[in-house]
Amino acid sequence: MMRDYLLVYINGQRHEIRGEEAFFSLSDYLRYTRGLTGTKVVCAEGDCGACTIIRGSLRDGREDLHYEGINACITFMHLMDCTHIVTVEGLQDNGSLNPVQQAMIDHHGAQCGFCTPGFICAMSDHANHCAYQSERPVEQLETQRLRNALTGNLCRCTGYAPILNAGESIDLKAFTPLQQRYDTPEMLSDLQAHASHSVQIQTRERLFYAPNNLRDAAEFRVRRPESRIFSSATDMGVLINKEKSDPVVITNLSRIPEAHSLREENGQIVVGARVSLSQLENFCRSRIPEFARLMRIFASPQIKNKGTLVGNIANASPIADTLPFLFVAEAEIELYSTQGTRRVNINRFYTGYKQLDMRPDELISRVYIPMLPKDEILRLYKVSNRKDLDISTFTAAIRLQLDTQRQITGAAIAYGGVGPVVMRLPRTEASLIGCPLDVASFAAAGKLAREEITPISDVRASADYRYQLAENILRKCQAELEEQTSEAVVF
Amino acid sequence: MTTSLPHDSAWGHVTGQSVFIDDRAPLRGELHVGVVGSPIAHGRIKSINLAAAKALPGVAGVFTAADLHHNIWGTIIQDQPLLADQTVNFIGEPLVVIAAEDRETLKIAKRLVKLDLEPLTPILSIGEARQQQQFIAVKRTIQRGDLAAAFASAEHVLEGVFENGGQDHFYLESNCAVVYPGERGNLEVHSSSQHPTEVQHLVAEALGLKQHQVTCIVKRMGGGFGGKESQAAPFAVFAALAAQKLGRPARLVLSKDEDMVMTGKRHPFQTDYKVGFNAEGRIVAAEIHLYSDGGAYADLSTSVLERAMLHSDNAYYLPVALITGQICRTHTPPNTAFRGFGGPQGVAVIEHILEDMAIYLNKDAYAVRRRNCYEGERNTTPYGQVVENNVLPQLFDGLHASADYARRREEIAAFNAASQTQIKGLAMTAVKFGISFTTRFLNQGNALVNLHRDGSFQVSTGATEMGQGVHTKIAQIVAEVFDVPATQVMVMATSTERNHNTSPTAASSGTDINGAAAQLAAEQIRDRLAACVAAHFEQPERGPLEEIELDMVRSHAHIVFEKGEIYHRDQPELRISFEDAVNMAYLNRISLSGYGFFKIPGIGFDKEQGVGTPFRYFTNGVAASEVLIDRFTGELKVLRTDILMDLGRPINEAIDYGQVSGAFVQGMGWVTSENLVMNPEGHLLSHSPTTYKIPNIQDTPRQFNIKLLSNHEAKNVRGSKAVGEPPLLLGLSVWAAVKNALSYANGRQLTGLKIPATAESILRELGAAEAAHAPQPVA
């Protein structure tokens, strides 16, 4: 069945959204259509969190909704189909403040107040997760996890200390889970019934199409080759807000059930096109811990809850944080079209700056990530001007195989931010074969790495710094292996 | 009464109910107003073609300089056009104002404005401006003692050039205003401004109105930090221009990118210095020549520079000193007030010098600082003000002990000797911040207190609320006068209708000035109530023709206000509830309003001679920070910060704690990750949080201890001390700790580390150290 409207619940209220409004940003819709002005917009690029709202969505294996914080400024109403949006206005519990709100008052967590609704939403989402949604509910918020949960929210007034004090004081037993508060059987069955529909919304200027199977998606690609696939718009949203792009034919894969699939199969992790980075981070925590660790500093929770691995791959940025790992892991991209499917090794997928080995009629349906043997060494690095929630200056993945004498028998090294695409360093890799894990070998490899890259100077760093990092990261890897330390300890 | 009453807007903030400018529901016919700015840093305006923009359906009006009644402004020196008319002097300089029916149309219309500009060569750095002698205003000097003789007697001399970068305010609410046209040409302006009086005056002047025709109202700001002291006003004028010309409500809301490109920032400085000292590390003479980057127009630069000069000593006695200051004119947005107002730049220089002296003498930098700290007879600043009630030695010694400085110093040395991957540093810096506007006439304020018949108060002052809690503190001050709960006092939106000729809420003085004025106003009411109650106690019963006549000559000290009641000190059984007393006063036709006027006494500074007592008092503090640096990437983490401050007797300790914590982290951002990057054409490349990195919740010190010294000597309102700006300067302890860490890596060589100490610049210094210490081939 095809429908011509979006179904969205906002603070428990049902809305059918048609026409132009389907193309509004979520924040504009909330503020200017619904008058819910608690949601603030500051940067309009997902980097400050003032627009944080909590999105509840259907998820396999759950009877109620899965709630998580996202940025409202860089998402669009058409991406909100079949979700429940909870804004700061919807967080009071039967007219009284929820424990997060009360703690933020008691501990002076708000000063000017402009970032506060975003913090309230992000902290309430975290509280909801820790008190109810998590596999291991707890009664108190732990400081470092609280910091991680609030990484996507900037405050310029408080210096964060009062906000942390507030968070640490909350008694989660007093927190009513959003699911208990809002998830009525009527709302759940309404959302479920609508989730299997395809959606098409046509206005004078724009077309949105969300097919409910891959075949239709592929046919649409043939019919409308100018169409843009919006995964979660964490990048497109920024480009549109900053008037750098204005696609008029938009398609989205979220109504396709298999796109949401994430599983381990034949020694590979199989990631569907709609799997969020948060889901992947959780999934990898026990399977590829080093990748999960890097994902912790990848971006804010709000971005990771929205953004997908496939989106990160398709966006083709030379500083996309997942790519160096996928390169050394020899991940494969599955491309789907009306002609059938084909798989491309990610090392051959990028042919130039933002250029992909992908035809206009193809779409990325899955990613296959081979699991790494346990005895291999994997080190992932991201250097940025600010450690958290920053776009990388330089990224690196180093994968080493050792023999019983701890001599290197295999090396895969991929760098990002040092050329138009993420690149492997074949000469540097070869130079390490047969070497021990010693200073001299890695210092020499570092010098060689400089010769294989072509970084530029930009707003984030000079080319010189990137050359130096390309050299140093190998030395750092060696020193950490020797000291048996990891930067995860403090950084 | 040192309580931690919640912020008066806290409930609204956490529920999303607080109303900021753009949260106001649009009125019928309201227009969206935007600004087109210059795309080049310097050029001559040949023509502006508005035809296409005007022809676009949905465009209601397009305006240029010619549409303004008066087109020149400046808070101190009037040198800046509101809308550029002959030349453009920075990228983003406003040229055209457009009013449209909706946001989408406004966006398109902006792109349709055709500018024909003849590019001229821009000056984009202090260095270029100095070379071409492009200065704003005159050079200023503060001098004490015989410099030549002092340097001749010095055992050691260090000289160099020190540079600090700018800093964007990054208030979350970008500049905005909404203007409602009223009867008889009047305008009601709602602005996100720290200075409603200036907005009122500028709107009136620019549009040819009398000041009494314009009301400016500031409910609250989503952050200010100095960025909305002067620079909020032009944007209010642009909205007012559309409202006046079109007779319709008009709203202007900048995007973050527009705001960052168009508005001025903290001043970058380049400073030439020379310091003479003896073998113990005691300074005998200092020569400091400050050059600030004023940007294209004067704005507040002269006052900012003055404060930088007045803080070049910081907490340290300079027996002989020459301090000069000059503002450079560049083709960048006019730099402006930013929390600290030049103080941080002046203090950075002397803290840099002291850190370098320690490295040079191979001494612990704490010992060097302590040796130079104002103490005993060594208590007169280079400009002649005596440092009274000096707690600096007490602060230094107290924090040295409580932060466990000596033990940690040893641990750090051991760590650095052992670790191949990381390096640590530790430093303690101080702040001695002068409180008062250095421009004397600004140190005045007025307040209106209205007592309603149910015993609740409305208080109005010139203080604007930007999150700092000034309204909460004022409510507490007024409540304390009557000893009623502070929740009975509401501080109203700041409006030029109720309080006129006000000063900006700036210079950390919001509570000092406006709180004192409110206290005076409240005391007038209290004195009348006391007289009324005294008369009532003397004659409880009165006939219908009798009315209480106030005797304001007699003392009514025996009338006590306590916990919502009023009673006779010597006959406590004579008592009346506060509400009954208020109602009785009303029925006896006694005024229940107070108007207070306050000016800060005992201050004055001769700007020409560089001598005087510019400050009523100093707010002092010290901080010790420990940092960890990745030797391979230069990345930095602050492990621990301990702060000890003297804030007198705080009116609201939790608010003061929040000011210290917030200001420190903001200062830390300035000296570490906040990097304004400009391209060779003068385009700011870091104009949004994607590229401009203010501290995030992961960046705050892993251990963060803030303590206040108990001090009852403060002569300010309620024995409190100003807190807004001073702790920002303690962020410099992080920067000094980076210098300290580098000194372990490079065998105690001096480095060229600047502000900000980005990861890249730290790695550059580490690389230089490594190159210098590489094993030399044996011949």
Side-chain angles (χ1 to χ4, degrees), chain A residues 18 41 68 102 114 131 212 251 278 286 304 347 356 365-366 370 372-373 385 405 422 467:
Chain A
R18 294 180 162 78
V41 175
E68 54 196 354
Q102 189 61 52
F114 214 79
N212 58 3
T251 157
S278 296
S286 58
K304 286 187 287 192
N347 285 283
L356 307 176
S365 47
R366 279 191 195 88
L372 306 188
N385 289 322
Q405 309 300 307
V422 170
Y467 274 117

Side-chain angles (χ1 to χ4, degrees), chain A residues 382-384 387 487 491, chain B residues 628-630 633-637 759:
Chain A
K382 164 176 176 158
V383 179
S384 47
K387 194 73 198 173
E487 69 168 18
F491 282 99
Chain B
L628 179 71
I629 291 168
D630 185 312
T633 65
E635 289 168 294
L636 171 74
K637 191 101 218 161

Side-chain angles (χ1 to χ4, degrees), chain B residues 35 42 68 97 130 138 160 205 216 386 406 451 488 508 525 605 623 683 701 765:
Chain B
V35 186
H42 190 201
L68 287 163
V97 172
R130 281 177 70 177
V138 297
E205 184 178 53
C216 179
V386 175
L451 175 50
Q488 221 158 304
S508 305
I525 303 175
F605 181 65
H683 281 278
E765 296 296 343

Side-chain angles (χ1 to χ4, degrees), chain A residues 49-270:
Chain A
C51 64
T52 303
I53 55 91
I54 305 175
R55 175 189 65 186
S57 46
L58 298 164
R59 191 170 274 188
D60 278 349
R62 277 202 85 92
E63 304 213 328
D64 48 13
L65 297 182
H66 176 84
Y67 285 93
E68 54 196 354
I70 63 166
N71 301 108
C73 70
I74 48 169
T75 196
F76 299 92
M77 290 315 292
H78 53 72
L79 296 176
M80 291 294 105
D81 185 40
C82 290
T83 65
H84 175 214
I85 308 298
V86 181
T87 69
V88 67
E89 291 90 349
L91 285 172
Q92 273 167 277
D93 197 0
N94 287 323
S96 60
L97 299 177
N98 83 9
V100 171
Q101 293 171 312
Q102 189 61 52
M104 284 283 280
I105 292 179
D106 295 344
H107 292 267
H108 291 248
Q111 285 185 23
C112 85
F114 214 79
C115 74
T116 310
F119 269 95
I120 294 290
C121 285
M123 209 191 285
S124 294
D125 167 45
H126 184 54
N128 194 61
H129 183 80
C130 292
Y132 175 77
Q133 202 163 275
S134 156
E135 288 159 21
R136 288 178 297 280
V138 292
E139 293 179 1
Q140 212 71 31
L141 299 179
E142 188 267 315
T143 307
Q144 186 52 48
R145 289 184 67 196
L146 187 60
R147 285 187 198 261
N148 297 349
L150 299 177
T151 296
N153 295 79
L154 293 178
C155 167
R156 191 54 152 170
C157 293
T158 63
Y160 304 100
I163 294 171
L164 288 169
N165 292 343
E168 287 162 0
S169 77
I170 295 165
D171 175 9
L172 291 180
K173 291 195 296 300
F175 188 91
T176 310
L178 294 170
Q179 285 88 345
Q180 282 177 27
R181 176 83 211 286
Y182 280 115
D183 291 7
T184 60
E186 295 76 31
M187 178 170 89
L188 291 170
S189 59
D190 193 17
L191 290 171
Q192 271 150 7
H194 279 73
S196 58
H197 303 161
S198 61
V199 183
Q200 181 162 326
I201 296 174
Q202 174 88 59
T203 68
R204 206 153 46 87
E205 288 170 345
R206 293 170 205 276
L207 171 65
F208 171 73
Y209 175 51
N212 58 3
N213 64 76
L214 267 179
R215 181 80 205 166
D216 287 354
E219 279 171 6
F220 189 72
R221 291 291 275 174
V222 175
R223 215 162 57 242
R224 302 296 296 262
E226 81 278 26
S227 66
R228 291 295 298 260
I229 302 180
F230 275 38
S231 181
S232 62
T234 54
D235 197 46
M236 281 309 298
V238 180
L239 296 176
I240 291 169
N241 285 347
K242 310 272 160 157
E243 300 179 50
K244 288 179 182 153
S245 178
D246 190 14
V248 292
V249 183
I250 296 164
T251 157
N252 171 264
L253 310 181
S254 56
R255 296 277 66 84
I256 301 175
E258 61 258 45
H260 297 272
S261 161
L262 172 63
R263 60 183 190 275
E264 190 184 328
E265 189 179 271
N266 304 328
Q268 292 184 314
I269 297 173
V270 186

